[in-house]
Amino acid sequence: MTTIEYRLPPDYRAASLRADALAGLTATPKSLPPKWFYDAQGSALFEKITELPEYYPTRAERSILTSVAAEIADLSAARVLVELGSGSSEKTRLLLSALRDAGTLRAYLPVDVSESALVQAGDALAVEYPGLAVHAVVSDFEEYLGVEPSTDLRPWTDLRPWTDLRPWTDTASADVGVDEGGPQLLAFLGSTIGNMVPDERAAFLRRVRASLRPGDSFLLGTDLVKAPGVLVAAYDDAAGVTAAFNKNVLAVLNAELRADFDLDAFEHVARWDAEHEWIEMRLRSTADQQARVGDLGLLVPFAAGEEMRTEVSAKFRRSGVEAELAAADLAMRSWWTDPAGKFGLSLSVPV
C-alpha cells in the first residue's frame, strides 16, 4: 500500500522561491540555491547529465550499491528504509531488494519535495515489491528537515519536525508489520550533502543523529576529491548539457517570478576551489545588463563579467567524512568505494 503525507503549506514553493531570490539577487556577491534548477525541464536535463561520459558520480555510486547492498542489508537489519531526496528511487531499488531478500524489509519512507516524483515512484514500487508499505512524505529536507533556513520565512513552524517521522512506523506497526523500535536505515545518497556548506552540513548531521535510535543506521553518499580536470569536466561537459542545466535556474525565475533574464547573456562557469575542495557553478554576465523580477518589484543589475554562484558541490575525503560524522555523534562503521576510488559510501550508527 502507498500513503502520502504532506508537510509543506500549499504556497511553500512560491514563498520559498521568492525568499531565496530576494536574498540571493540582492546579496554581494549574488547567489541562488541549486534546488531551483529542478522544474520539469531542469529535472529532465539532470537525467541527461547522469548519462554523460564525463559525469561519473551516479554510475560510481550505483556500482558500489550493486556490490555491497547485501552487506548493508545484513549490517543494518533494517525493517524500514527512510530516504531523503528520494526522487525516482532508482538506485534505492538495490537497497530495497537486498533488504527484502534478507527478510527484514517492511516499509519504505521516501521524502521528497516533488509530489509527482513520489507518486510515480510509489506506484512503481507497489508493483515491484508486493506487500511493501510505502509512506511518502512531501517535504523539503534542506529547508525543513534539519538545515537552518537563511531567512525567517517559516509560516509552517507548527508542522511536525523531522524527528517525528519515526512515530509513523511505530503507530502504523499493526498495519505494516513493523515492530515498535525496529531498526531503520536512513539513506542520503547522490552526494547531495555536498551542496551544503560546512555549517549547514554540521546542522544537518546533528538533526540526522537526533532522529536515530539505538540499532538504526545512516547511509551517506559522498563524492570524493580527485584530479581537478576530472571534477571540472563532470560539471562542464563537452555537449553543454550542464550549461543548459545551470541556466535553467534563470528560466525558473522567468516563469515563476515574472522575471526577464536573457539566458543567452550569461555563460556557464565551473571552477574547482582547491582551498574549500569544492566545485562552484556560476553564471557569468557577458555584458552590463539588468533584469527585472516582476513579482519582487526588483531590478537586478549585472556588470560585464560579474558572476553569480548557483551551486557548491563539495568533495570529500574519508577522514573528513568520518570527522564530520563524529562531530554529530555518529560513528562510521563501514566505508566502501568504487574500484576507481571516485565515490564513497559510508554506514554509520548513533553513539
Side-chain angles (χ1 to χ4, degrees):
M1 64 177 179
T2 302
T3 58
I4 297 182
E5 179 179 347
Y6 299 88
R7 296 199 173 190
L8 297 176
D11 64 342
Y12 168 78
R13 178 180 172 85
S16 184
L17 177 57
R18 287 196 301 270
D20 285 344
L22 181 61
L25 294 174
T26 57
T28 303
K30 299 180 180 70
S31 66
L32 290 170
K35 66 182 178 181
W36 299 118
F37 292 136
Y38 296 96
D39 62 353
Q41 173 69 5
S43 296
L45 285 169
F46 184 72
E47 288 302 314
K48 290 183 179 180
I49 288 172
T50 63
E51 299 169 359
L52 294 169
E54 298 98 328
Y55 194 79
Y56 60 85
T58 302
R59 291 188 297 274
E61 185 177 43
R62 185 180 291 115
S63 74
I64 301 170
L65 286 169
T66 300
S67 298
V68 305
E71 186 178 353
I72 293 169
D74 181 60
L75 291 169
S76 67
R79 291 172 176 263
V80 179
L81 173 62
V82 181
E83 183 179 13
L84 304 180
S86 56
S88 63
S89 301
E90 283 300 321
K91 286 178 292 188
T92 317
R93 284 165 166 81
L94 296 167
L95 293 171
L96 290 171
S97 294
L99 291 166
R100 178 193 59 189
D101 294 346
T104 62
L105 181 66
R106 298 294 182 271
Y108 174 49
L109 200 158
V111 180
D112 200 277
V113 72
S114 172
E115 179 183 356
S116 61
L118 289 168
V119 170
Q120 185 175 357
D123 290 346
L125 292 171
V127 174
E128 296 174 40
Y129 299 87
L132 177 66
V134 179
H135 183 77
V137 179
V138 181
S139 187
D140 183 340
F141 70 85
E142 196 172 47
E143 286 293 330
Y144 176 61
L145 302 181
V147 178
E148 293 302 318
S150 57
T151 71
D152 199 28
L153 186 65
R154 280 288 184 100
W156 51 91
T157 50
D158 59 331
L159 293 176
R160 289 176 292 168
W162 177 32
T163 51
D164 201 29
L165 287 176
R166 182 62 185 246
W168 170 79
T169 58
D170 295 343
T171 58
S173 60
D175 297 326
V176 302
V178 180
D179 292 339
E180 187 168 339
Q184 292 189 10
L185 174 62
L186 176 62
F188 192 41
L189 303 175
S191 200
T192 306
I193 195 169
N195 294 143
M196 304 175 191
V197 298
D199 286 348
E200 293 171 334
R201 295 200 301 266
F204 175 80
L205 290 173
R206 286 195 299 270
R207 198 62 176 270
V208 165
R209 172 61 184 87
S211 76
L212 300 178
R213 293 179 178 176
D216 291 346
S217 304
F218 176 50
L219 185 67
L220 178 64
T222 46
D223 196 10
L224 303 181
V225 174
K226 55 189 68 66
V230 175
L231 289 167
V232 172
Y235 293 82
D236 192 12
D237 60 277
V241 181
T242 310
F245 177 69
N246 194 6
K247 291 184 182 184
N248 194 64
V249 72
L250 301 180
V252 169
L253 297 183
N254 287 349
E256 300 191 31
L257 294 182
R258 294 190 302 121
D260 62 359
F261 286 94
D262 179 359
L263 275 62
D264 292 332
F266 290 86
E267 296 175 335
H268 167 66
V269 177
R271 181 179 298 123
W272 171 243
D273 184 326
E275 178 183 356
H276 296 100
E277 293 194 321
W278 64 41
I279 286 282
E280 284 195 8
M281 290 211 315
R282 296 170 173 262
L283 290 171
R284 179 189 295 138
S285 177
T286 60
D288 291 334
Q289 59 176 308
Q290 59 184 18
R292 187 177 302 276
V293 185
D295 283 3
L296 299 179
L298 191 64
L299 197 62
V300 186
F302 286 87
E306 181 181 351
E307 294 181 353
M308 175 170 64
R309 191 171 78 180
T310 53
E311 182 178 81
V312 163
S313 185
K315 308 305 170 186
F316 298 89
R317 303 175 188 271
R318 175 176 177 167
S319 59
V321 175
E322 196 161 12
E324 291 193 33
L325 289 166
D329 290 330
L330 291 162
M332 184 188 293
R333 289 291 181 255
S334 299
W335 171 264
W336 305 276
T337 67
D338 58 292
K342 292 182 177 180
F343 202 92
L345 201 64
S346 59
L347 189 70
S348 302
V349 297
V351 294

